[in-house]
Short mmCIF file of all heavy atoms in Angstrom, two decimals:
data_model
loop_
_atom_site.label_atom_id
_atom_site.label_comp_id
_atom_site.label_asym_id
_atom_site.label_seq_id
_atom_site.Cartn_x
_atom_site.Cartn_y
_atom_site.Cartn_z
N ARG A 30 52.27 171.93 156.77
CA ARG A 30 51.75 170.56 156.62
C ARG A 30 51.27 169.99 157.95
O ARG A 30 50.28 169.28 158.03
CB ARG A 30 52.83 169.64 156.05
CG ARG A 30 52.96 169.68 154.55
CD ARG A 30 53.72 168.45 154.05
NE ARG A 30 55.03 168.27 154.64
CZ ARG A 30 56.13 168.86 154.23
NH1 ARG A 30 56.09 169.68 153.20
NH2 ARG A 30 57.29 168.63 154.82
N SER A 58 61.36 171.31 168.10
CA SER A 58 60.90 170.18 168.90
C SER A 58 60.68 170.49 170.38
O SER A 58 60.24 169.63 171.12
CB SER A 58 61.93 169.06 168.80
OG SER A 58 63.14 169.51 169.32
N ASP A 139 72.18 179.69 164.48
CA ASP A 139 72.29 179.83 163.03
C ASP A 139 71.61 181.12 162.58
O ASP A 139 71.28 181.97 163.40
CB ASP A 139 71.74 178.59 162.32
CG ASP A 139 70.38 178.19 162.84
OD1 ASP A 139 69.67 179.06 163.38
OD2 ASP A 139 70.02 177.00 162.71
N GLU A 160 78.32 170.36 164.64
CA GLU A 160 78.93 169.64 163.52
C GLU A 160 77.88 169.27 162.48
O GLU A 160 78.14 169.31 161.28
CB GLU A 160 79.63 168.35 164.01
CG GLU A 160 80.28 167.62 162.84
CD GLU A 160 80.89 166.28 163.22
OE1 GLU A 160 80.90 165.92 164.40
OE2 GLU A 160 81.36 165.60 162.30
N PHE A 161 76.69 168.93 162.95
CA PHE A 161 75.68 168.42 162.03
C PHE A 161 74.65 169.49 161.65
O PHE A 161 74.37 170.39 162.44
CB PHE A 161 74.99 167.19 162.62
CG PHE A 161 75.97 166.12 163.00
CD1 PHE A 161 76.09 165.69 164.30
CD2 PHE A 161 76.83 165.59 162.05
CE1 PHE A 161 77.02 164.73 164.66
CE2 PHE A 161 77.77 164.63 162.39
CZ PHE A 161 77.87 164.19 163.69
N HIS A 162 74.10 169.33 160.44
CA HIS A 162 73.22 170.35 159.87
C HIS A 162 72.02 170.67 160.77
O HIS A 162 71.57 171.81 160.81
CB HIS A 162 72.71 169.83 158.51
CG HIS A 162 71.80 170.78 157.80
ND1 HIS A 162 72.24 171.98 157.27
CD2 HIS A 162 70.48 170.72 157.55
CE1 HIS A 162 71.22 172.60 156.71
NE2 HIS A 162 70.13 171.87 156.86
N ASN A 163 71.50 169.65 161.46
CA ASN A 163 70.30 169.90 162.27
C ASN A 163 70.63 170.18 163.73
O ASN A 163 69.81 169.93 164.61
CB ASN A 163 69.30 168.73 162.16
CG ASN A 163 69.95 167.40 162.47
OD1 ASN A 163 71.17 167.31 162.57
ND2 ASN A 163 69.14 166.36 162.61
N PHE A 167 71.52 177.54 171.26
CA PHE A 167 70.34 178.31 171.65
C PHE A 167 70.63 179.15 172.90
O PHE A 167 71.58 178.87 173.64
CB PHE A 167 69.17 177.36 171.94
CG PHE A 167 68.78 176.52 170.76
CD1 PHE A 167 68.94 175.14 170.79
CD2 PHE A 167 68.26 177.11 169.62
CE1 PHE A 167 68.57 174.36 169.70
CE2 PHE A 167 67.90 176.33 168.53
CZ PHE A 167 68.05 174.96 168.56
N ASP A 195 67.70 180.76 159.69
CA ASP A 195 68.35 179.75 158.84
C ASP A 195 67.48 179.37 157.63
O ASP A 195 68.01 179.06 156.56
CB ASP A 195 68.73 178.51 159.64
CG ASP A 195 67.54 177.81 160.25
OD1 ASP A 195 66.57 178.49 160.61
OD2 ASP A 195 67.58 176.58 160.38
N SER A 198 68.19 181.98 155.18
CA SER A 198 69.58 181.96 154.71
C SER A 198 69.82 180.87 153.66
O SER A 198 70.79 180.94 152.91
CB SER A 198 70.56 181.85 155.88
OG SER A 198 70.41 180.64 156.55
N GLU A 199 68.93 179.89 153.56
CA GLU A 199 69.05 178.91 152.46
C GLU A 199 69.02 179.63 151.11
O GLU A 199 69.63 179.18 150.15
CB GLU A 199 67.90 177.90 152.52
CG GLU A 199 68.09 176.76 153.48
CD GLU A 199 69.32 175.91 153.18
OE1 GLU A 199 69.55 175.51 152.02
OE2 GLU A 199 70.07 175.65 154.13
N SER A 200 68.28 180.75 151.05
CA SER A 200 68.15 181.50 149.80
C SER A 200 69.09 182.70 149.72
O SER A 200 69.52 183.08 148.64
CB SER A 200 66.73 182.04 149.65
OG SER A 200 65.79 181.02 149.57
N TYR A 202 71.97 183.42 151.88
CA TYR A 202 73.34 183.37 152.40
C TYR A 202 74.06 182.15 151.82
O TYR A 202 73.59 181.02 151.96
CB TYR A 202 73.32 183.27 153.93
CG TYR A 202 74.70 183.16 154.54
CD1 TYR A 202 75.52 184.28 154.67
CD2 TYR A 202 75.19 181.93 154.99
CE1 TYR A 202 76.79 184.16 155.22
CE2 TYR A 202 76.45 181.81 155.55
CZ TYR A 202 77.24 182.93 155.65
OH TYR A 202 78.51 182.84 156.19
N ASN A 203 75.17 182.40 151.17
CA ASN A 203 75.94 181.32 150.56
C ASN A 203 76.91 180.76 151.61
O ASN A 203 77.85 181.45 152.02
CB ASN A 203 76.71 181.86 149.34
CG ASN A 203 77.42 180.77 148.60
OD1 ASN A 203 78.14 179.98 149.18
ND2 ASN A 203 77.22 180.72 147.30
N ARG A 204 76.66 179.51 152.02
CA ARG A 204 77.44 178.93 153.13
C ARG A 204 78.90 178.71 152.79
O ARG A 204 79.77 178.89 153.62
CB ARG A 204 76.82 177.60 153.57
CG ARG A 204 75.52 177.75 154.34
CD ARG A 204 75.17 176.47 155.09
NE ARG A 204 74.86 175.38 154.19
CZ ARG A 204 73.64 175.07 153.77
NH1 ARG A 204 72.61 175.80 154.15
NH2 ARG A 204 73.43 174.06 152.96
N ALA A 210 73.40 186.75 149.01
CA ALA A 210 72.92 186.69 147.63
C ALA A 210 72.61 188.10 147.13
O ALA A 210 72.36 189.02 147.91
CB ALA A 210 71.66 185.83 147.58
N GLN A 211 72.57 188.25 145.81
CA GLN A 211 72.24 189.52 145.18
C GLN A 211 70.88 190.04 145.65
O GLN A 211 70.64 191.25 145.71
CB GLN A 211 72.24 189.31 143.65
CG GLN A 211 71.75 190.49 142.83
CD GLN A 211 72.59 191.74 143.01
OE1 GLN A 211 73.81 191.65 143.24
NE2 GLN A 211 71.95 192.91 142.94
N ALA A 212 70.00 189.13 146.02
CA ALA A 212 68.64 189.51 146.42
C ALA A 212 68.64 190.48 147.60
O ALA A 212 67.74 191.32 147.72
CB ALA A 212 67.85 188.26 146.79
N THR A 215 69.07 193.81 146.14
CA THR A 215 67.85 194.15 145.40
C THR A 215 66.78 194.70 146.36
O THR A 215 66.17 195.73 146.10
CB THR A 215 67.30 192.91 144.67
OG1 THR A 215 68.31 192.45 143.78
CG2 THR A 215 66.03 193.22 143.92
N TRP A 219 65.02 198.39 146.65
CA TRP A 219 63.57 198.64 146.75
C TRP A 219 63.31 199.63 147.89
O TRP A 219 62.53 200.57 147.75
CB TRP A 219 62.79 197.36 147.08
CG TRP A 219 62.80 196.30 146.05
CD1 TRP A 219 63.20 196.39 144.75
CD2 TRP A 219 62.37 194.93 146.25
NE1 TRP A 219 63.06 195.17 144.13
CE2 TRP A 219 62.55 194.27 145.02
CE3 TRP A 219 61.87 194.22 147.33
CZ2 TRP A 219 62.23 192.91 144.84
CZ3 TRP A 219 61.54 192.88 147.16
CH2 TRP A 219 61.73 192.23 145.93
N LYS A 227 54.77 199.67 150.34
CA LYS A 227 54.92 198.78 149.18
C LYS A 227 56.10 197.81 149.40
O LYS A 227 56.02 196.62 149.05
CB LYS A 227 55.16 199.62 147.92
CG LYS A 227 55.26 198.77 146.67
CD LYS A 227 55.31 199.60 145.41
CE LYS A 227 55.35 198.67 144.21
NZ LYS A 227 55.27 199.36 142.94
N ALA A 231 56.14 193.79 149.67
CA ALA A 231 56.98 193.01 148.74
C ALA A 231 57.85 192.01 149.51
O ALA A 231 58.01 190.86 149.08
CB ALA A 231 57.86 193.96 147.93
N TYR A 234 55.67 189.20 150.65
CA TYR A 234 55.26 188.34 149.52
C TYR A 234 56.43 187.44 149.07
O TYR A 234 56.26 186.24 148.84
CB TYR A 234 54.78 189.20 148.35
CG TYR A 234 54.30 188.38 147.19
CD1 TYR A 234 53.08 187.71 147.26
CD2 TYR A 234 55.07 188.25 146.04
CE1 TYR A 234 52.64 186.92 146.21
CE2 TYR A 234 54.65 187.46 144.98
CZ TYR A 234 53.43 186.80 145.06
OH TYR A 234 53.01 186.01 144.02
N ASN A 235 57.61 188.02 148.96
CA ASN A 235 58.76 187.22 148.50
C ASN A 235 59.17 186.17 149.54
O ASN A 235 59.61 185.08 149.18
CB ASN A 235 59.94 188.14 148.16
CG ASN A 235 59.77 188.78 146.80
OD1 ASN A 235 60.09 188.19 145.78
ND2 ASN A 235 59.21 190.00 146.77
N ILE A 239 59.02 182.78 146.88
CA ILE A 239 60.29 182.29 146.33
C ILE A 239 61.29 181.86 147.42
O ILE A 239 62.03 180.89 147.24
CB ILE A 239 60.89 183.39 145.40
CG1 ILE A 239 62.04 182.83 144.58
CG2 ILE A 239 61.29 184.62 146.16
CD1 ILE A 239 62.45 183.75 143.43
N LYS A 243 62.33 177.33 148.95
CA LYS A 243 63.65 176.66 148.93
C LYS A 243 63.99 175.98 150.25
O LYS A 243 65.12 175.53 150.44
CB LYS A 243 64.74 177.69 148.59
CG LYS A 243 64.81 177.98 147.09
CD LYS A 243 65.76 179.12 146.80
CE LYS A 243 67.21 178.77 146.99
NZ LYS A 243 67.79 178.08 145.85
N ASN B 3 51.93 193.35 143.80
CA ASN B 3 53.20 194.04 143.95
C ASN B 3 54.17 193.62 142.83
O ASN B 3 54.32 192.43 142.57
CB ASN B 3 53.79 193.67 145.32
CG ASN B 3 54.76 194.70 145.82
OD1 ASN B 3 55.64 195.09 145.08
ND2 ASN B 3 54.58 195.12 147.05
N ASP B 4 54.78 194.60 142.18
CA ASP B 4 55.68 194.24 141.08
C ASP B 4 57.13 194.04 141.54
O ASP B 4 58.01 193.81 140.72
CB ASP B 4 55.60 195.30 139.97
CG ASP B 4 55.95 196.68 140.51
OD1 ASP B 4 55.96 196.85 141.76
OD2 ASP B 4 56.20 197.59 139.71
N LEU B 5 57.36 194.14 142.83
CA LEU B 5 58.72 193.95 143.34
C LEU B 5 58.94 192.46 143.64
O LEU B 5 58.57 191.96 144.69
CB LEU B 5 58.94 194.79 144.61
CG LEU B 5 58.71 196.30 144.46
CD1 LEU B 5 58.94 197.01 145.78
CD2 LEU B 5 59.63 196.88 143.38
N MET B 6 59.51 191.78 142.67
CA MET B 6 59.69 190.33 142.79
C MET B 6 61.15 189.94 142.63
O MET B 6 61.82 190.42 141.72
CB MET B 6 58.89 189.60 141.69
CG MET B 6 57.39 189.58 141.94
SD MET B 6 57.00 188.49 143.30
CE MET B 6 57.54 186.91 142.69
N LEU B 7 61.60 189.07 143.48
CA LEU B 7 62.96 188.53 143.32
C LEU B 7 62.93 187.44 142.25
O LEU B 7 61.92 186.76 142.08
CB LEU B 7 63.44 187.92 144.63
CG LEU B 7 63.61 188.88 145.82
CD1 LEU B 7 63.90 188.09 147.10
CD2 LEU B 7 64.74 189.88 145.55
N GLU B 11 68.70 185.67 141.60
CA GLU B 11 69.22 186.56 142.64
C GLU B 11 69.40 185.83 143.98
O GLU B 11 69.89 186.41 144.94
CB GLU B 11 68.25 187.74 142.84
CG GLU B 11 68.24 188.69 141.66
CD GLU B 11 67.16 189.74 141.82
OE1 GLU B 11 65.96 189.39 141.74
OE2 GLU B 11 67.52 190.91 142.02
N LEU B 12 68.94 184.60 144.04
CA LEU B 12 69.10 183.81 145.27
C LEU B 12 70.37 182.96 145.17
O LEU B 12 70.93 182.80 144.09
CB LEU B 12 67.89 182.89 145.48
CG LEU B 12 66.51 183.56 145.46
CD1 LEU B 12 65.43 182.53 145.77
CD2 LEU B 12 66.43 184.70 146.46
N THR B 13 70.78 182.45 146.30
CA THR B 13 71.98 181.61 146.29
C THR B 13 71.58 180.13 146.25
O THR B 13 70.47 179.78 146.63
CB THR B 13 72.86 181.91 147.53
OG1 THR B 13 74.15 181.37 147.33
CG2 THR B 13 72.26 181.34 148.80
N GLU B 14 72.47 179.30 145.76
CA GLU B 14 72.22 177.86 145.73
C GLU B 14 73.17 177.18 146.71
O GLU B 14 74.35 177.04 146.44
CB GLU B 14 72.48 177.30 144.32
CG GLU B 14 71.34 177.51 143.33
CD GLU B 14 70.03 176.83 143.75
OE1 GLU B 14 70.09 175.77 144.43
OE2 GLU B 14 68.97 177.37 143.43
N ASN B 15 72.64 176.80 147.85
CA ASN B 15 73.47 176.04 148.81
C ASN B 15 73.28 174.56 148.54
O ASN B 15 72.16 174.11 148.27
CB ASN B 15 73.04 176.36 150.24
CG ASN B 15 73.54 177.72 150.70
OD1 ASN B 15 74.72 178.01 150.64
ND2 ASN B 15 72.62 178.58 151.12
N PRO B 16 74.37 173.79 148.62
CA PRO B 16 74.19 172.35 148.40
C PRO B 16 73.31 171.74 149.48
O PRO B 16 73.33 172.18 150.64
CB PRO B 16 75.62 171.78 148.48
CG PRO B 16 76.44 172.84 149.11
CD PRO B 16 75.76 174.15 148.91
N ALA B 18 72.11 169.48 152.41
CA ALA B 18 72.86 168.81 153.48
C ALA B 18 72.75 167.29 153.27
O ALA B 18 71.68 166.78 152.97
CB ALA B 18 72.29 169.20 154.84
N LYS B 112 82.98 162.52 155.63
CA LYS B 112 82.77 163.73 156.43
C LYS B 112 83.86 164.77 156.14
O LYS B 112 83.58 165.95 156.03
CB LYS B 112 82.79 163.38 157.93
CG LYS B 112 81.50 162.80 158.42
CD LYS B 112 81.28 162.84 159.92
CE LYS B 112 82.45 162.89 160.84
NZ LYS B 112 82.07 162.81 162.26
N ASP B 121 77.12 170.96 154.23
CA ASP B 121 76.58 170.55 155.53
C ASP B 121 76.19 169.07 155.50
O ASP B 121 75.87 168.54 154.44
CB ASP B 121 75.33 171.37 155.86
CG ASP B 121 75.70 172.74 156.41
OD1 ASP B 121 76.88 173.10 156.32
OD2 ASP B 121 74.79 173.43 156.90
N TYR B 122 76.18 168.43 156.66
CA TYR B 122 75.79 167.03 156.70
C TYR B 122 75.14 166.69 158.03
O TYR B 122 75.29 167.41 159.02
CB TYR B 122 77.00 166.10 156.47
CG TYR B 122 78.18 166.33 157.38
CD1 TYR B 122 78.34 165.60 158.56
CD2 TYR B 122 79.14 167.30 157.07
CE1 TYR B 122 79.42 165.81 159.40
CE2 TYR B 122 80.21 167.52 157.92
CZ TYR B 122 80.36 166.78 159.07
OH TYR B 122 81.42 167.01 159.91
N TYR B 123 74.37 165.62 158.00
CA TYR B 123 73.73 165.11 159.21
C TYR B 123 74.62 164.03 159.83
O TYR B 123 75.61 163.60 159.22
CB TYR B 123 72.36 164.50 158.86
CG TYR B 123 71.34 165.50 158.38
CD1 TYR B 123 71.20 165.81 157.03
CD2 TYR B 123 70.51 166.16 159.28
CE1 TYR B 123 70.25 166.71 156.59
CE2 TYR B 123 69.56 167.07 158.85
CZ TYR B 123 69.43 167.35 157.51
OH TYR B 123 68.50 168.26 157.08
N GLN B 124 74.22 163.59 161.01
CA GLN B 124 74.97 162.52 161.68
C GLN B 124 75.01 161.27 160.78
O GLN B 124 73.97 160.86 160.28
CB GLN B 124 74.27 162.18 162.99
CG GLN B 124 75.10 161.39 163.95
CD GLN B 124 74.31 161.13 165.22
OE1 GLN B 124 73.40 160.31 165.24
NE2 GLN B 124 74.64 161.82 166.28
N LYS B 153 77.63 160.92 170.17
CA LYS B 153 76.62 161.41 169.23
C LYS B 153 77.21 161.79 167.87
O LYS B 153 76.79 162.76 167.23
CB LYS B 153 75.85 162.59 169.82
CG LYS B 153 75.08 162.20 171.06
CD LYS B 153 74.23 163.33 171.56
CE LYS B 153 73.40 162.88 172.75
NZ LYS B 153 72.75 163.96 173.46
N LYS B 154 78.23 161.04 167.44
CA LYS B 154 78.82 161.29 166.13
C LYS B 154 78.38 160.25 165.11
O LYS B 154 78.78 160.32 163.94
CB LYS B 154 80.37 161.25 166.23
CG LYS B 154 80.96 162.20 167.23
CD LYS B 154 81.21 163.54 166.61
CE LYS B 154 81.94 164.48 167.56
NZ LYS B 154 81.89 165.86 167.11
N GLU B 204 64.70 165.80 156.19
CA GLU B 204 63.81 166.97 156.23
C GLU B 204 63.89 167.70 157.57
O GLU B 204 63.19 168.69 157.77
CB GLU B 204 62.36 166.52 156.02
CG GLU B 204 62.07 166.08 154.60
CD GLU B 204 60.64 165.59 154.43
OE1 GLU B 204 59.78 166.01 155.21
OE2 GLU B 204 60.42 164.79 153.52
N SER B 205 64.75 167.23 158.48
CA SER B 205 64.76 167.85 159.81
C SER B 205 65.54 169.15 159.78
O SER B 205 66.44 169.35 158.98
CB SER B 205 65.36 166.88 160.84
OG SER B 205 66.71 166.64 160.54
N THR B 206 65.14 170.04 160.70
CA THR B 206 65.77 171.37 160.78
C THR B 206 66.43 171.52 162.14
O THR B 206 66.15 170.75 163.06
CB THR B 206 64.72 172.47 160.57
OG1 THR B 206 63.67 172.26 161.53
CG2 THR B 206 64.14 172.43 159.18
N PRO B 207 67.34 172.52 162.30
CA PRO B 207 68.06 172.66 163.56
C PRO B 207 67.14 172.72 164.78
O PRO B 207 66.14 173.44 164.79
CB PRO B 207 68.83 173.97 163.39
CG PRO B 207 69.08 174.02 161.93
CD PRO B 207 67.83 173.46 161.30
N GLY B 208 67.49 171.94 165.78
CA GLY B 208 66.74 171.95 167.03
C GLY B 208 65.54 171.02 167.01
O GLY B 208 64.84 170.87 168.00
N ALA B 210 63.72 167.51 167.02
CA ALA B 210 63.96 166.10 167.35
C ALA B 210 63.40 165.26 166.21
O ALA B 210 62.28 165.48 165.77
CB ALA B 210 63.29 165.75 168.65
#
Side-chain angles (χ1 to χ4, degrees):
Chain A
R30 277 198 304 276
S58 62
D139 49 24
E160 181 185 356
F161 305 119
H162 181 69
N163 53 349
F167 300 115
D195 61 327
S198 64
E199 277 300 313
S200 297
Y202 178 78
N203 185 310
R204 287 197 293 268
Q211 173 61 32
T215 301
W219 294 347
K227 183 173 182 174
Y234 182 73
N235 281 277
I239 192 167
K243 280 173 71 82
Chain B
N3 203 311
D4 57 345
L5 302 179
M6 285 290 297
L7 296 172
E11 291 173 290
L12 306 184
T13 195
E14 280 299 329
N15 284 305
K112 280 199 334 185
D121 280 12
Y122 54 94
Y123 293 91
Q124 195 179 74
K153 297 185 176 168
K154 304 272 185 194
E204 289 178 25
S205 65
T206 54

